[in-house]
């Protein structure tokens, strides 16, 4: 564990493990790096994996207000500068951070899983934001998480249940370790989602990314993630897509061989063997 300094002077706690070329993991919303321990362990025999908690979590510094994704990019830039790494993996909101960062940071290869973008009316829905924010203001964390969960994971059978039933189920989920974490961070997750909304635009806004890019989606995740990847692949100069069979939105944290093997191939071979554009 190392402490490095962000551009604004805040301390970032960097957790590094493994051997090989440097690879930075940028976690998603509502979670911490703890949820990625399987992924990190399965990559650490080929890479030096660098992970850090984004601001407002665990051992991370607080966010600056008003919050913007540029803070995340500055922090990632500090990690790249300290480690010399030029490769990054991002999940969910972390995927959004990595894509935005690749427009201005010296990243050479990036892989993003279930990037929740808004691309000219397509991609991540935003209708859930108002009711979820209202639930947070009312102090009803379970209801807020139930609304968010149905929007992000509409294929889950529970997402088709009435909201009152989903909320009751979520109250039980909040008793688990990961549920408590997600509940504590749900307000932050919604602030991040507003940033995604703020950067809505055509897929061509990402055409300036020069890094080799692997756009991954889970076959059991919401269809809009695959749609987003197809739109990005048509706009980015060096992008290819990968749809992981049987993998849900949290599939990258589960880290099955069907994901880890092609992900490793992407970062260790010139063209990412076995991955189609």
């Amino acid at each position: 564990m190392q402490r490095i300094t962000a551009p604004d002077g805040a301390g970032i706690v960097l957790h590094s493990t493994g051997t090989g070329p440097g690879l930075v993991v940028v976690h998603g919303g509502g979670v911490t790096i703890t949820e990625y321990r399987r992924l990190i362990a399965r990559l650490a025999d080929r890479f030096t994996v660098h992970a850090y908690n984004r601001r407002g979590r665990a051992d991370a510094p607080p966010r600056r207000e008003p919050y913007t994704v540029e803070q995340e990019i500055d922090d990632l830039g500090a990690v790249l500068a300290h480690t010399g790494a030029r490769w990054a993996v991002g999940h969910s909101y972390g995927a959004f951070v990595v894509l935005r960062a690749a427009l201005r940071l010296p990243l050479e290869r990036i892989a993003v899983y279930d990037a929740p973008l808004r691309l000219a009316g397509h991609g991540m829905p935003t209708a859930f934001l108002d009711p979820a924010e209202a639930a947070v203001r009312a102090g009803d964390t379970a209801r807020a998480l139930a609304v968010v969960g149905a929007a992000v994971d509409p294929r889950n059978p529970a997402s088709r249940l009435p909201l009152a039933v989903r909320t009751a189920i979520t109250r039980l989920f909040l008793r688990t370790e990961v549920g408590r974490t997600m509940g504590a961070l749900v307000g932050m997750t919604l602030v991040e989602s507003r940033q995604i909304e703020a950067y809505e635009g055509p897929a061509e806004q990402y055409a300036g990314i020069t890094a080799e890019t692997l756009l991954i989606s889970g076959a059991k995740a919401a269809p809009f993630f695959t749609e987003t990847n197809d739109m990005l692949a048509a706009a980015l100069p060096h992008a290819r897509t990968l749809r992981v069979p049987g993998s849900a939105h949290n599939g990258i944290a589960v880290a099955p061989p069907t994901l880890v093997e092609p992900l490793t191939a992407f970062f260790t071979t010139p063209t990412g063997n076995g991955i189609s554009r």
Side-chain angles (χ1 to χ4, degrees):
M1 186 174 70
Q2 306 173 69
R3 185 175 295 273
I4 65 176
T5 304
D8 65 354
I12 299 171
V13 177
L14 185 65
H15 304 261
S16 302
T17 186
T19 57
L23 178 62
V24 181
V25 173
V26 184
H27 68 75
V31 294
T32 68
I33 59 172
T34 300
E35 279 68 50
Y36 299 82
R37 57 189 178 275
R38 291 187 189 89
L39 175 71
I40 292 169
R42 291 171 185 174
L43 293 175
D45 63 340
R46 299 294 298 274
F47 308 98
T48 301
V49 184
H50 305 289
Y52 61 99
N53 284 306
R54 295 194 288 106
R55 296 197 183 206
R57 296 164 172 82
D59 54 8
R63 289 177 163 177
R64 300 191 307 273
E65 297 298 336
Y67 169 77
T68 71
V69 71
E70 293 299 317
Q71 294 178 39
E72 309 281 4
I73 297 170
D74 287 344
D75 288 351
L76 177 54
V79 171
L80 297 179
H82 179 81
T83 62
R86 293 295 179 264
W87 300 346
V89 177
H91 173 221
S92 196
Y93 189 76
F96 172 67
V97 171
V98 169
L99 286 167
R100 299 302 311 179
L103 291 167
R104 70 172 173 90
L105 295 183
L107 286 161
E108 297 173 358
R109 291 193 186 189
I110 60 173
V112 295
Y113 185 102
D114 279 359
L117 307 186
R118 288 291 299 171
L119 299 177
H122 299 274
M124 187 190 81
T126 56
F128 75 94
L129 290 173
D130 286 344
E133 289 168 343
V136 169
R137 289 194 297 271
D140 194 340
T141 299
R143 184 182 180 92
L145 276 180
V147 171
V148 173
V152 175
D153 193 10
R155 288 185 169 179
N156 188 322
S159 297
R160 295 189 287 273
L161 296 172
L163 177 57
V165 177
R166 300 199 316 267
T167 301
I169 293 171
T170 304
R171 291 193 198 287
L172 297 176
F173 174 62
L174 285 170
R175 299 177 183 177
T176 68
E177 182 180 356
V178 67
R180 287 191 292 271
T181 299
M182 293 182 73
L185 296 173
V186 64
M188 192 176 297
T189 299
L190 295 172
V191 171
E192 293 174 350
S193 297
R194 287 296 186 187
Q195 281 292 289
I196 294 168
E197 183 182 54
Y199 281 86
E200 178 170 355
E204 288 72 21
Q205 69 178 297
Y206 294 96
I209 293 176
T210 58
E212 290 284 339
T213 303
L214 179 61
L215 304 164
I216 313 170
S217 61
K220 291 181 66 177
F224 65 77
F225 291 118
T226 296
E227 177 189 34
T228 294
N229 285 354
D230 290 341
M231 295 175 71
L232 285 174
L236 272 62
H238 308 292
R240 54 188 67 88
T241 61
L242 171 67
R243 194 163 181 260
V244 183
S247 190
H249 183 58
N250 70 335
I252 191 169
V254 176
T258 49
L259 169 62
V260 174
E261 291 173 5
L263 184 63
T264 299
F266 170 72
F267 283 111
T268 55
T269 65
T271 59
N273 287 349
I275 302 168
S276 62
R277 179 177 172 84

